[in-house]
Amino acid sequence: MHTRAPLLLAPMEGLLDFVLRDILTRVGGVDRCVSEFIRITDTVLPDRVFYRYVPELRNGSRTTAGTPVRPQLLGSDPACIADNAAALARLQPEGIDLNFGCPANVVNRHGGGAALLDTPEALSAIVSAVRRAVPDALPVSAKMRLGVRDGRRAVECAQALAEAGACEIVVHARTKTDGYRPPAYWEQIPAIRAAVAVPVVANGEIWTVADAQLCRERSEGTALMLGRGIVADPGLAWAIRAADGEAGVPAATGWEAVLPQLQNFWALVSAAFPGRQRVGRLKQWLNLLRRRHPEAEAAFQRLRTETEPEAIDAWMRAQGAAGQGAGGTAVAPAVVRETSTWSIR
């Protein structure tokens, strides 16, 4: 019997929000998503903030396509994070994830994210407090990097997380200092995997099927979390599954499959964001798509100086007309507005 290797969709601040989660899970191939981090400071957030970051909570904590979404919390005060986790738990999320991996200085200088990896006891205190604050059946997972400047305490950090009650650990195989510069040091993950009794998921620098295979070989596991790679190539999860020999994998993963989803994305963004902000979101995705698709490069160059939504609307209509004229099945943006579970952030 073929065992499905878990593929998760990464949290990516300012990029992989509820709109792109909706689109990428429509394409399919991923088993679960983790939301952008919800920053916790010194107060219990009202429900509307949790719903703003994770509107899927109104849909059973699932995207329109039915893929589970696990909200992620970030902070450094165990009691405050625990109180917020308890408040979030009342909204019945699929689980709660804790961020110990964000490398951004604006987060780290307040003691959050990857900065906590210098103090494994702080990781333990946060996970323990959250685990006590939420129902026993609710999964509590964690995402970490190898460390702040090096990976010498990576195993110790992972053990602290697991022993405090984390049911799964995603390891972004770089340090805070590494940021997002290649390479990812997947070869450091086996020692972490051997030291804990919970599932370990490898993350970082997985852009292609070959990257996924090499990551699995070096990390000595099959579970992966995909980030910028799947944003650049929405068919990446299916391509990995096809290489795994999984049956029923969709064949179309080229631009002809991406373009209708780009139109869907524009429709959702248009419903959820103000004018010029939605233009920026489209350019942001095209900028990553052009790593994989020459057609996205052409689109990016055509639209990069546009600032008004009306110009994008006209371009989208032209793409739809061209696709239908060639016998394609481009999806009109209005269709998504009628079928999406949410529309306003």
Side-chain angles (χ1 to χ4, degrees), residues 44-53 57-58 87-88 90-91:
V44 176
L45 297 174
D47 290 355
R48 68 176 183 276
V49 175
F50 295 126
Y51 284 129
R52 186 173 75 237
Y53 280 92
L57 289 167
R58 300 186 186 275
L88 176 57
R90 290 195 291 272
L91 305 182

Side-chain angles (χ1 to χ4, degrees), residues 184-206:
Y185 300 96
W186 303 317
E187 64 277 6
Q188 296 193 37
I189 295 178
I192 295 171
R193 192 184 307 280
V196 298
V198 300
V200 173
V201 181
N203 172 234
E205 214 61 24
I206 302 170

Side-chain angles (χ1 to χ4, degrees), residues 265-266 269-271 273-283 309:
F265 176 81
W266 178 246
V269 166
S270 295
F273 295 97
R276 295 192 177 187
Q277 188 175 348
R278 68 185 72 151
V279 176
R281 291 300 309 279
L282 181 72
K283 292 177 185 178

